Structure formats: C-alpha cells, structure tokens
C-alpha cells in the first residue's frame, strides 16, 4: 500500500513506514494513493462472513502486499478479541451501534489494538520499541491495554495531573509491567509539547526506538473501517438502501473511517457529522469558512476539539471520489440539549452517555421518512459515571473492567513539564 503526504504529495511511503512515522514532513497526514473498491457481488459475500474473516478481507484490500492474509487474520483476531459491536434497538427506526465492549470501554480499542498488532508485526528485527504518547483520557487507556505485556515494547504515557477522571486514571495507571505512566504537573498541551520535543530529538529517537501511537496513525483508521461493515451486516435487508449513520466527532477519525467504508463500496446513504459546542466543522459546512474558535469544555469532553486533525483527509476523500460535501449532514448540540436527550433516552429504556446522546439527538432530528438510523455508541456510560448519574439521578454500575482496577494502587511517576526530566526517564527507566 502506497500513501502520500497531504502536505507534500511527492513524499510517498509504504504502510509499514506510515505506521511507524504517524505523520509525514510538515506534520502532513498520510492518505492512500489507491482507493480500493469492492464489487457488489463480493460485498454480498462479505456481509455473510464473521467479523474477523470479513475484517481481514477489508484490511487486506489495502495492505495485501505487505502482510499476507493468513498473518493478517491472526493479527485481526488478536486485535479484535473482545465482545463484538452490538446493535441495540432504541425506537422503530433508530438503533445504537455500541462500540464500547473492548477492554477500555471505548471504540478507541479497535484502532489502538490493531495498531499494536501492526507495530509488532512490522517490527521484523525485533528491535526494542518505545511508544510515547500524551493523553487527555481515553486514548491512554486504549494504547496501554493494547500494548500491555508485549515483548520488546515499552509504553510511556504522559497525562496532566489532576485533569483526568479518577476512573480513567485507574484504568491505565495500575497496569505496571511494560506500561509506564507519568503525571505531568501541567496541562494536556504541556504533555503534548513534551512528546513533540522527544520526537524532535533525533539521537534520543534512534537510541530508544521511539514510535508514534498518535490517533492520526493510518493503522487506527483502517481498523475502524471494519465495524461499519459489521453494522451494515446487522441491519435488516429492506432497510439497507436507506441507512443513515450519526457519528459523534472530535478529531473526526471515526467519521473518516466511515467515509472510507463508503468509498470501498458499502452503500451507506448518508452520514451525520455530530459535534458539541466545538463546532468548527458544522460552521464550515454551513458557510464555507474555516474558523476554529478557542476550545470550550463540555460534558462530552472527548469531543472538545476545535481543530480536528483528520479533517484534511475527509476533504481529500470527497475530492478524490468527486462526492459533494453539501450532502454530508451535520449539526452541533449544546450541553443543555445533550442532558435533555440523555433523559429522553433513559425514558426510552436506554442508559447512554453524552457523546452518543449528541449523535442520537441529531439523528432523530434529521432522519427522513423511510430512512433507518444508526448512531455510534463510542464509550460505556460508566466511563462518565459522575456526569451521567447526576443527569439521570440514577446509579450506574461499574463493569468488571473498571471494578477490578478501582482499588489497585496508582503506579504513576510524577514530573514537572521539563524535557530534561522526561529524557532522563526515557533513558533510565
Ligand atoms: C475519541 C472519542 C470521540 C471522538 O472520536 P474521533 O474519532 O476523534 O472523532 C467520541 N466519543 C468518545 C467517547 C471518544 O473517546
């Protein structure tokens, strides 16, 4: 698979290199040179396959010349070895597609776990690898669990001290073994800056085999294409021509994967790009002006992003496929409406959380007659226990994944946002 840098089309790399680099020169995103297409007859066959076999087929369309199908099947099996996505009926025309049954209870498990398998697989010489990443919550947990106990891999996760929820911290700072966590006396931006400094230090980078686990990594996107096919396979045949999928968006990786699924030939009628008050994209789709504002905090905090870094990929895809951006549906939902919608879902017998509630809201407002709607459940409500309990005035039970970690001691180190301190840690520990 060849990929080009969106900021400099002459920089082309293969899949292995793109996984390793994460970003190209000038922080440019990688995008596939060829967009494979599945013929309708083959699609029908694929829809009958089980999730792992079908996912292997899909991924192999992109990376067949770098990883054999047999090998890929084993990788996919290991990566997606947890309860599969679940379709839950909400109303006659609307279902939730729950993607949060992985080990860290958010859809990010799909991407992070597949990326881990790819890094392991593509590391042919068994060199030792250091994964360094900054997190504001969910990504850290997904990455830590994905690489947990992997040979030759050391994971170092930076997070802002006191700025992630207690449950989030327990989920990835109690693991130990090859997972090191460092709380930084500063903000998420400070953490990201430290990571950047480490990647800019060429000597350090080579001596410890520094590798990116960033959310813009192409392997994470490819993995996420697979569950859109699963969603499609689960809906009744008579509804398949009229499927609308609402996606809660932050960095817009999830939506990019959905659109890639469509470009492969999955006949999804329409997507709704759903945001909270951080509405750079809805405003852009409305008036054509790209005008990011300062990020505001909301109760759907995983979507508190005003400069979504996957957007250039979406624009490229629309250009390449000659699709009309005007056909992309969109909307933004305030915290107040999100709360109201969570209560509405609760009345319908469904306990949700703020991110999915935003998608449900826009879906139920925009669904046309004869259409069938799916909204993506991106995280388990227990991950946002305090918020959800306060809004619904109802207790949320902790699933086993959280319950078994809640009483374990935190193993994090703590440092000031000082690159020399981090460097010392990277070399010594
Ligand atoms: C990361 C995340 C999102 C946003 O996904 P993107 O791919 O960044 O658009 C939405 N909901 C939850 C719960 C998340 O963790």
């Amino acid at each position: 698979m060849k990929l080009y840098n969106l900021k400099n089309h002459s920089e082309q790399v293969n899949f292995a290199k793109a996984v390793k680099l994460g970003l190209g020169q000038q922080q440019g995103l990688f995008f596939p040179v060829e967009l494979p297409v599945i013929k309708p007859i083959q699609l029908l066959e694929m829809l009958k396959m089980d999730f792992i076999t079908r996912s292997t087929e899909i991924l192999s369309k992109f990376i067949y010349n770098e990883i054999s199908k047999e090998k890929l099947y084993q990788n996919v099996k290991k990566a997606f070895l947890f309860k599969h996505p679940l379709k839950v009926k909400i109303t006659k025309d609307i279902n939730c597609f729950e993607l949060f049954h992985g080990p860290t209870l958010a859809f990010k498990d799909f991407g992070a776990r597949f990326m881990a398998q790819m890094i392991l697989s593509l590391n042919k010489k068994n060199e030792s690898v250091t994964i360094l990443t900054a997190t504001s919550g969910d990504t850290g947990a997904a990455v830590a669990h994905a690489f947990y106990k992997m040979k030759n891999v050391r994971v170092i996760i930076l997070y802002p001290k006191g700025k992630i929820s207690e449950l989030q911290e327990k989920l990835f700072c109690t693991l130990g073994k090859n997972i090191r966590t460092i709380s930084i006396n500063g903000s998420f931006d400070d953490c990201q800056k430290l990571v950047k400094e480490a990647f800019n230090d060429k000597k350090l980078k080579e001596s410890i085999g520094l590798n990116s686990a960033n959310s813009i990594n192409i392997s994470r996107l490819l993995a996420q294409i697979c569950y859109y096919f699963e969603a499609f396979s689960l809906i009744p045949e008579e509804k398949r021509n009229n499927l609308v999928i609402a996606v809660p968006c932050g960095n817009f990786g999830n939506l990019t994967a959905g659109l890639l699924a469509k470009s492969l030939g999955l006949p999804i009628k329409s997507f709704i790009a759903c945001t909270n008050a951080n509405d750079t994209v809805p405003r852009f789709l409305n008036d054509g002006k790209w005008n990011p504002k300062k990020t505001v905090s909301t109760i759907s905090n995983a979507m508190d992003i005003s400069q979504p870094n996957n957007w250039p990929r979406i624009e490229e895809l629309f250009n390449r496929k000659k699709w009309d951006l005007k056909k992309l549906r969109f909307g933004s939902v305030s915290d107040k409406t999100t709360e109201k919608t969570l209560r509405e879902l609760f009345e319908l017998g469904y306990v949700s959380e703020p991110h999915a509630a935003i998608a449900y809201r826009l879906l139920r407002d925009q669904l046309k007659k004869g259409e069938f709607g799916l909204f993506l459940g991106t995280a388990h409500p227990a991950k946002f226990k305090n918020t959800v309990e306060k809004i619904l005035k109802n207790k949320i039970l902790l699933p086993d994944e959280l319950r078994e970690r809640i009483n374990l001691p935190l193993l994090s180190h703590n440092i000031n946002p000082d690159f020399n301190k981090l460097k010392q840690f990277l070399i010594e520990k």
Side-chain angles (χ1 to χ4, degrees):
M1 177 192 196
K2 275 252 172 285
L3 302 109
Y4 58 98
N5 178 340
L6 287 182
K7 284 208 177 140
N8 172 9
H9 289 210
S10 67
E11 185 190 0
Q12 291 205 358
V13 295
N14 65 8
F15 175 68
K17 191 87 189 278
V19 170
K20 192 159 181 184
L21 290 175
L23 286 167
Q25 293 153 11
Q26 301 154 35
Q27 314 282 313
L29 298 160
F30 288 117
F31 195 84
V33 170
E34 269 167 52
L35 293 167
V37 175
I38 299 166
K39 295 202 179 75
I41 294 178
Q42 199 197 353
L43 178 66
L44 280 180
E45 285 305 310
M46 282 172 72
L47 291 174
K48 292 182 209 142
M49 295 173 181
D50 67 86
F51 185 52
I52 304 293
T53 310
R54 186 194 315 114
S55 299
T56 306
E57 287 294 324
I58 295 164
L59 291 162
S60 154
K61 298 270 173 219
F62 290 94
I63 50 185
Y64 62 95
N65 56 359
E66 289 179 62
I67 301 174
S68 74
K69 215 182 251 187
E70 294 73 41
K71 183 87 205 278
L72 193 56
Y73 180 85
Q74 296 307 325
N75 290 145
V76 171
K77 205 163 125 186
K78 278 190 208 141
F80 297 168
L81 189 71
F82 49 84
K83 207 164 120 198
H84 292 163
L86 214 64
K87 186 172 74 70
V88 179
K89 184 174 173 185
I90 308 295
T91 66
K92 189 162 80 36
D93 304 319
I94 293 182
N95 284 202
C96 179
F97 192 55
E98 296 183 344
L99 297 168
F100 52 72
H101 299 289
T104 73
L105 308 170
F107 78 97
K108 293 199 169 71
D109 282 326
F110 286 93
R113 292 175 65 84
F114 182 67
M115 178 176 62
Q117 289 302 321
M118 289 299 99
I119 284 176
L120 204 68
S121 253
L122 299 166
N123 182 10
K124 299 230 163 71
K125 288 181 231 141
N126 284 327
E127 290 160 1
S128 54
V129 174
T130 298
I131 307 284
L132 175 67
T133 192
T135 184
S136 57
D138 286 341
T139 301
V143 168
H145 282 259
F147 288 96
Y148 189 42
K149 294 186 188 166
M150 269 191 186
K151 265 205 329 227
N152 301 324
V153 178
R154 179 177 64 142
V155 176
I156 294 163
I157 300 172
L158 313 184
Y159 64 98
K161 190 176 165 70
K163 296 199 175 79
I164 68 174
S165 83
E166 192 194 346
L167 281 175
Q168 279 175 323
E169 194 174 17
K170 288 278 185 181
L171 199 46
F172 70 97
C173 302
T174 54
L175 292 169
K177 302 239 187 317
N178 63 330
I179 311 297
R180 323 259 195 282
T181 53
I182 311 179
S183 66
I184 303 291
N185 300 321
S187 65
F188 174 62
D189 287 329
D190 292 323
C191 299
Q192 264 190 319
K193 197 160 150 261
L194 288 171
V195 171
K196 274 206 188 120
E197 282 180 286
F199 276 92
N200 284 336
D201 189 327
K202 266 214 170 100
K203 239 168 90 188
L204 176 75
K205 200 168 149 186
E206 271 161 32
S207 73
I208 61 170
L210 210 53
N211 210 312
S212 135
N214 211 304
S215 69
I216 37 73
N217 197 291
I218 191 73
S219 61
R220 292 176 62 160
L221 275 189
L222 295 186
Q224 289 174 241
I225 296 174
C226 301
Y227 53 68
Y228 285 91
F229 281 75
E230 178 72 2
F232 197 87
S233 79
L234 292 176
I235 66 165
E237 274 177 42
E238 69 275 13
K239 316 256 187 198
R240 287 184 180 170
N241 285 330
N242 279 304
L243 177 61
V244 178
I245 302 184
V247 185
C249 295
N251 260 329
F252 282 72
N254 210 354
L255 181 62
T256 308
L259 290 162
L260 281 169
K262 187 176 161 111
S263 89
L264 271 164
L266 194 69
I268 296 164
K269 181 178 175 189
S270 196
F271 286 94
I272 311 180
C274 310
T275 74
N276 59 27
N278 297 288
D279 59 351
T280 307
V281 168
R283 284 186 291 109
F284 172 73
L285 291 171
N286 210 20
D287 64 10
K289 296 196 182 95
W290 189 259
N291 182 20
K293 293 182 184 160
K294 198 171 164 355
T295 309
V296 293
S297 294
T298 72
I299 54 171
S300 47
N301 63 306
M303 293 157 66
D304 290 349
I305 293 167
S306 54
Q307 310 220 36
N309 57 23
N310 271 298
W311 186 255
R313 281 186 169 134
I314 292 185
E315 287 197 318
E316 185 76 358
L317 186 58
F318 272 81
N319 279 336
R320 291 269 305 271
K321 298 297 281 190
K322 302 199 166 49
W323 290 342
D324 186 359
L325 254 186
K326 289 200 183 72
K327 294 222 172 95
L328 180 61
R329 302 184 199 178
F330 59 91
S332 84
V333 175
S334 69
D335 272 358
K336 204 167 154 219
T337 306
T338 307
E339 291 185 17
K340 222 163 78 188
T341 308
L342 264 179
R343 284 191 285 267
E344 178 183 317
L345 281 165
F346 191 53
E347 298 265 302
L348 289 165
Y350 188 64
V351 177
S352 191
E353 53 75 41
H355 307 78
I358 286 177
Y360 168 73
R361 177 69 189 208
L362 292 165
L363 188 59
R364 80 113 152 97
D365 288 351
Q366 297 187 13
L367 202 68
K368 294 177 191 150
K369 210 166 173 254
E371 289 177 342
F372 186 77
L374 277 185
F375 64 102
L376 301 186
T378 44
H380 193 290
K383 277 199 120 167
F384 303 93
K385 191 173 186 286
N386 291 346
T387 312
V388 176
E389 285 184 340
K390 215 159 69 200
I391 295 168
L392 298 184
K393 302 193 174 52
N394 207 62
K395 274 257 167 275
I396 302 273
L397 291 178
L398 287 184
D400 294 344
E401 289 84 346
L402 280 174
R403 198 151 25 95
E404 67 196 21
R405 309 221 76 86
I406 196 94
N407 293 318
L408 297 176
L410 293 174
L411 303 172
S412 295
H413 301 261
N414 173 252
I415 61 172
N416 284 327
D418 171 351
F419 178 58
N420 285 320
K421 284 266 155 50
L422 175 66
K423 191 166 169 177
Q424 199 183 343
F425 185 96
L426 289 172
I427 293 166
E428 289 170 8
K429 313 234 163 114

